Amino acid sequence: MSDDLDDLDDLKAAMKAATPAPDASRKAADIALARKNFAALQESREGARLTSDHPEKRGILRGVRQMLTTFSTQFPIRGALTASTALVALGLVVVVPEWQQGPDMFSRAPAVREAEPASGQAVRERAEADAATTALQSEERMMADDAAGIMPEPAPMPMLEAAPMARAPERYAVGALKRVAPVDGEMVIMPAESSTEAYPDADQNPLKIVAEEPVSTFSIDVDTASYAVVRSSLTNGQMPPEGAVRIEEMVNYFPYDYPAPEAGEAPFKPTVTVTDTPWNPDTQLLHIAIQGEQPAIAERPPLNLVFLIDTSGSMHAPDKLELLKQSFALMLPQLTEADEVAIVTYAGSAGQVLEATPGTDREAILAALENLAAGGSTAGQEGLQQAYSVAEGMAAEGEVTRVILATDGDFNVGLSDPEALESYIAKKRESGTYLSVMGFGRGNLDDATMQALAQNGNGQASYIDTLAEAQKVLVDQFTGALFPIANDVKIQVEFNPERIVEYRLIGYETRALNREDFNNDKVDAGDIGAGHSVTAIYEITPVGSPAQMADPLRYGEAAADEGASGEVSEELGYFKLRYKAPGESESQLIELPITEGGEVSADMRFAMAIAGFGQLLTDSPFLGDWGYAEAIALANGAKGDDPYGYRAEAVRLMRLAESLDR
């Protein structure tokens, strides 16, 4: 043991003798140079993406760490002491820039900007350029030291900054940390959800007084984007933005087994049921179910698809362009030789990357998808114009032609104004080419624009957050999403003031229509696809109920009683529905009286649970003490046949929301 210590003392003495005396002027010059290099390095890496790994051959600490590991493993005592002494002898110095010095160093730290998304090739090119710059600086320094006869000292280590947590409202702050995901073989820090996302600005439907406003009119909605966005937020540890919660889309996300039309009847069948309200024993729920027919798949018309794909820089992420490619690949087995696919992309400029190709030529379609890369700004206008031009060239009599826009919604070049986009799309739908929209990724999701495009393009808006969601939208619901059985479907309910004093429509805020729009066939409305079901729910307050919230009108009761007698007085209201057969300009009418009772199925109870869940997410004032526990119990008791686990997943999301919303 004494021999080991003697050897160590000799080594320390030798290294001390070989170490030059400190030079104060040289140290000051080195510090100044380090600060200058640090600032230059930050500027040169402005577009670089933060990664979880240090670049190879960058900095002395990487080698020191390896040396310590080796010595401490193979030579536990002597090796570790020797290595420690060597570090002291080297005079290792970590330089702290001025903005980090002092007790308030963090408060004065400069803001770190989010790196602009770039392709994997661009990331590698920037890394190579940085390495070359560093090597050149190191070589120049060594030459200068050699000329002055000075032993080399380690260069200052570049400071690694931690990306700041995005600021968010307190309710949404949980889980706002950045997450790491693989891109091009690298572990890339993906941006957290931020305030750049945009959602439709619509207040919750208010309570209506029947004596003042007895008629409610709205367009049906079969979009499902809202539920997937809510799921994306909750599974990432955040409550969803309030504007993202559209209750009708959450309710209509699930398949239901409602009574279907018989052969020879209208293409869909409405069923109206009245039952007790789960969250208020003094009100009732009016449940409206519409089930579309499911034509034989073999008899479907040929399909012309134009994939309009956003390849702008913001799409460079695993949950955006890469997920998009995988999602569209899932759809291809559903296509036949009579179907055709074309691909148009848009970024700095628009371009067609695949001409009209038979749906069975999967190799060519997959190759075109695989070659797509993200980069540039978003020329949304040019992309839409070219996609419609390609679609018009593919269209033929008796065929279905549709443009499918896949984007994160970041339209920042061209027709970026939602109203201008709506007008443009509305004109194009008259030609028979419909537009569906699929959103990908979070952070800059422009849900408001996507909704406007889909609603005005007679298409469906979906949000794809997982490959399982792509399976649901593009495979399981393939015919419903792409083959319409009815256009411009509108619902109107007239409530009987003798029986109902108040009502409110739960959801459909962005689908409201004027009373006179119901009979105006020029007013656009929603479409129903093959096999689709649509659900709408009203909460109604019977006359005399203690739940009545508004004072009765002094002069309105007599007017309400006039004409209400006999058979009519037994009706709670009257249901009317208008629709157009595909390709027709004149609507047809379905109507029936609304009476109490009706069989309440498990499907209806589950829809009510989801409606309650949506209201909890938006802090609805109408639920009283009814909370997540009650919603979970109602949903669990009504899951019924759940072959794909959608309903079980909804219960898990309710439990997550209950934990996060505290």
Side-chain angles (χ1 to χ4, degrees):
M1 182 68 179
S2 60
D3 292 340
D4 290 340
L5 293 177
D6 290 340
D7 292 343
L8 180 58
D9 291 338
D10 293 341
L11 176 62
K12 290 168 61 177
M15 295 186 70
K16 183 176 181 180
T19 302
D23 186 339
S25 60
R26 179 67 181 182
K27 180 179 179 181
D30 286 346
I31 291 175
L33 178 62
R35 290 171 178 165
K36 179 179 178 181
N37 289 342
F38 178 79
L41 181 61
Q42 292 302 298
E43 291 174 359
S44 69
R45 292 178 61 85
E46 181 177 0
R49 182 182 299 275
L50 297 175
T51 69
S52 60
D53 293 328
H54 296 286
E56 291 294 334
K57 300 180 182 178
R58 177 66 63 87
I60 192 171
L61 288 181
R62 188 180 186 89
V64 171
R65 187 182 300 111
Q66 295 175 348
M67 181 178 70
L68 280 173
T69 302
T70 301
F71 273 118
S72 61
T73 302
Q74 300 180 7
F75 311 101
I77 298 177
R78 181 176 177 180
L81 290 172
T82 303
S84 301
T85 306
L87 288 178
V88 174
L90 285 172
L92 181 65
V93 177
V94 178
V95 179
V96 180
E98 291 181 356
W99 58 265
Q100 282 193 343
Q101 298 174 4
D104 60 341
M105 55 190 288
F106 293 106
S107 64
R108 290 188 282 139
V112 179
R113 291 177 294 177
E114 284 292 337
E116 184 71 21
S119 66
Q121 179 63 25
V123 172
R124 286 189 289 273
E125 289 175 356
R126 281 199 297 268
E128 291 170 0
D130 289 344
T133 300
T134 302
L136 180 60
Q137 291 174 345
S138 177
E139 184 177 354
E140 291 174 348
R141 171 74 181 277
M142 290 176 63
M143 292 175 64
D145 286 347
D146 287 343
I150 301 174
M151 288 186 64
E153 296 181 5
M157 287 293 295
M159 303 301 297
L160 298 179
E161 301 178 42
M165 182 183 295
R167 296 287 296 175
E170 182 178 353
R171 184 168 184 243
Y172 313 125
V174 178
L177 295 173
K178 296 177 180 295
R179 51 200 171 84
V180 178
V183 178
D184 295 338
E186 304 174 73
M187 293 304 291
V188 177
I189 298 178
M190 305 300 298
E193 298 173 23
S194 69
S195 59
T196 61
E197 296 190 347
Y199 298 94
D201 184 14
D203 295 331
Q204 296 180 44
N205 284 328
L207 190 73
K208 300 291 185 69
I209 301 173
V210 176
E212 297 176 355
E213 194 172 344
V215 178
S216 172
T217 309
F218 64 96
S219 163
I220 62 96
D221 187 6
V222 293
D223 293 345
T224 60
S226 177
Y227 180 85
V229 172
V230 167
R231 177 179 60 206
S232 171
S233 294
L234 291 174
T235 54
N236 280 287
Q238 295 175 282
M239 292 297 290
E242 190 167 317
V245 180
R246 293 182 292 276
I247 297 175
E248 73 280 3
E249 294 186 24
M250 295 181 65
V251 171
N252 286 317
Y253 176 86
F254 301 90
Y256 299 105
D257 187 21
Y258 294 144
E262 300 290 340
E265 294 182 343
F268 47 82
K269 179 177 182 177
T271 302
V272 180
T273 306
V274 178
T275 187
D276 294 334
T277 303
W279 50 83
N280 192 336
D282 297 317
T283 64
Q284 296 177 309
L285 291 187
L286 170 61
H287 183 281
I288 299 171
I290 300 173
Q291 179 63 52
E293 66 180 355
Q294 178 67 67
I297 299 298
E299 299 175 3
R300 73 167 177 83
L303 178 63
N304 302 311
L305 290 178
V306 178
F307 294 160
L308 175 56
I309 300 177
D310 181 354
T311 54
S312 62
S314 64
M315 289 291 289
H316 184 76
D319 58 348
K320 293 187 179 183
L321 187 57
E322 294 307 313
L323 178 59
L324 182 157
K325 295 176 183 179
Q326 298 172 0
S327 299
F328 281 165
L330 290 179
M331 177 196 285
L332 299 185
Q334 311 298 312
L335 304 179
T336 68
E337 189 174 2
D339 302 325
E340 287 190 325
V341 173
I343 300 177
V344 174
T345 65
Y346 66 95
S349 60
Q352 184 174 358
V353 299
L354 180 70
E355 61 184 8
T357 302
T360 51
D361 191 354
R362 299 175 193 170
E363 184 176 350
I365 299 172
L366 288 172
L369 287 171
E370 187 59 33
N371 287 333
L372 299 180
S377 57
T378 315
Q381 175 183 356
E382 293 181 23
L384 284 169
Q385 290 172 338
Q386 183 157 6
Y388 274 112
S389 176
V390 171
E392 290 167 1
M394 297 168 64
E397 186 70 26
E399 298 180 348
V400 173
T401 304
R402 189 177 295 266
V403 174
I404 299 181
L405 168 61
T407 178
D408 61 2
D410 189 11
F411 283 76
N412 54 28
V413 176
L415 283 174
S416 57
D417 176 54
E419 292 186 2
L421 284 169
E422 290 175 23
S423 177
Y424 178 79
I425 299 300
K427 291 179 182 178
K428 289 299 181 179
R429 73 166 180 253
E430 302 301 327
S431 67
T433 299
Y434 295 163
L435 174 70
S436 291
V437 184
M438 295 183 183
F440 290 83
R442 297 296 297 273
N444 59 338
L445 182 68
D446 191 346
D447 182 72
T449 298
M450 291 167 50
Q451 291 292 316
L453 293 178
Q455 290 184 14
N456 286 273
N458 277 11
Q460 185 174 351
S462 305
Y463 173 72
I464 309 297
D465 58 333
T466 64
L467 202 57
E469 182 66 14
Q471 169 82 19
K472 177 179 183 292
V473 172
L474 296 174
V475 179
D476 298 342
Q477 298 176 346
F478 175 78
T479 55
L482 300 177
F483 297 95
I485 58 175
N487 301 135
D488 295 340
V489 183
K490 309 169 189 175
I491 289 177
Q492 187 170 83
V493 176
E494 178 185 354
F495 291 97
N496 180 1
E498 186 177 336
R499 299 293 308 278
I500 304 299
V501 64
E502 294 166 341
Y503 70 91
R504 67 183 181 96
L505 176 61
I506 302 175
Y508 290 94
E509 285 85 359
T510 64
R511 296 284 189 161
L513 297 174
N514 297 322
R515 179 176 176 178
E516 61 272 18
D517 293 340
F518 183 76
N519 292 321
N520 187 350
D521 285 344
K522 294 183 179 180
V523 174
D524 183 59
D527 304 320
I528 292 182
H532 258 152
S533 62
V534 181
T535 303
I537 300 175
Y538 286 91
E539 183 173 4
I540 57 178
T541 306
V543 171
S545 168
Q548 180 175 341
M549 301 183 70
D551 292 333
L553 295 176
R554 178 178 177 86
Y555 303 105
E557 295 179 357
D561 288 338
E562 292 181 8
S565 61
E567 182 179 342
V568 175
S569 66
E570 297 300 317
E571 298 176 1
L572 302 181
Y574 203 67
F575 170 85
K576 294 191 291 186
L577 182 148
R578 281 196 176 277
Y579 72 96
K580 297 175 187 173
E584 296 186 2
S585 58
E586 186 173 337
S587 67
Q588 302 179 48
L589 177 65
I590 298 176
E591 51 189 339
L592 54 89
I594 301 171
T595 58
E596 288 195 82
E599 181 182 355
V600 181
S601 65
D603 282 340
M604 295 179 184
R605 292 197 306 275
F606 188 82
M608 295 171 193
I610 297 299
F613 178 35
Q615 291 176 91
L616 289 169
L617 292 175
T618 55
D619 295 326
S620 173
F622 298 103
L623 297 184
D625 295 331
W626 198 82
Y628 289 105
E630 289 77 13
I632 291 169
L634 180 58
N636 266 328
K639 281 192 297 189
D641 187 18
D642 187 23
Y644 303 117
Y646 299 145
R647 299 188 181 189
E649 177 191 63
V651 173
R652 290 193 294 271
L653 294 181
M654 291 179 187
R655 296 182 64 220
L656 269 176
E658 182 181 24
S659 298
L660 293 170
D661 196 15
R662 287 178 177 174

